[in-house]
């Protein structure tokens, strides 16, 4: 029984990963015209999960937005500003 549980958890972990596929990143960048979703900055963009990854947020185009480092830090530190 423990072995089966171990195998199940191991296979589940492979499906859930923090890594955002390049195809999703490319689609998000294209959708937002290569700019921050808040201020239109186009340098050093970071990818932000609308629904946090640790709350089962998916790595898909509906849940990822590009943000400049300033806005990414702001939304991460002050989640109440999240819409």
């Amino acid at each position: 029984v423990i072995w089966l549980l171990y195998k199940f958890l191991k296979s589940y972990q492979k499906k859930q990963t923090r890594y955002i596929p390049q195809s999703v990143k490319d689609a998000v960048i294209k959708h937002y015209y290569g700019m921050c979703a808040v201020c239109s900055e186009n340098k050093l963009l970071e990818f932000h999960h609308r629904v946090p990854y640790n709350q089962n947020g998916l790595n898909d185009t509906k849940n990822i937005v590009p943000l400049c480092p300033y806005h990414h830090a702001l939304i991460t530190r002050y989640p109440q500003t999240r819409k």
Side-chain angles (χ1 to χ4, degrees):
V1 172
I2 292 174
W3 180 80
L4 287 174
L5 181 60
Y6 171 77
K7 286 291 189 183
F8 171 76
L9 290 175
K10 196 101 167 133
S11 68
Y12 182 74
Q13 287 174 344
K14 288 180 183 176
K15 293 176 187 173
Q16 295 271 56
T17 177
R18 256 188 121 85
Y19 172 75
I20 301 170
Q22 189 62 45
S23 59
V24 172
K25 290 179 182 181
D26 292 342
V28 168
I29 290 292
K30 184 178 178 181
H31 179 76
Y32 287 92
Y33 303 103
M35 296 183 274
C36 173
V38 178
C39 70
S40 301
E41 175 65 49
N42 64 355
K43 296 178 184 161
L44 302 172
L45 293 178
E46 301 173 356
F47 295 93
H48 175 71
H49 289 83
R50 290 180 184 193
V51 176
Y53 179 80
N54 63 3
Q55 294 176 10
N56 296 322
L58 300 175
N59 289 333
D60 63 10
T61 56
K62 295 177 184 175
N63 193 44
I64 305 293
V65 292
L67 296 174
C68 67
Y70 173 77
H71 285 112
H72 194 203
L74 186 69
I75 289 174
T76 302
R77 288 188 185 111
Y78 303 101
Q80 66 274 15
T81 62
R82 197 182 303 222
K83 292 183 180 180

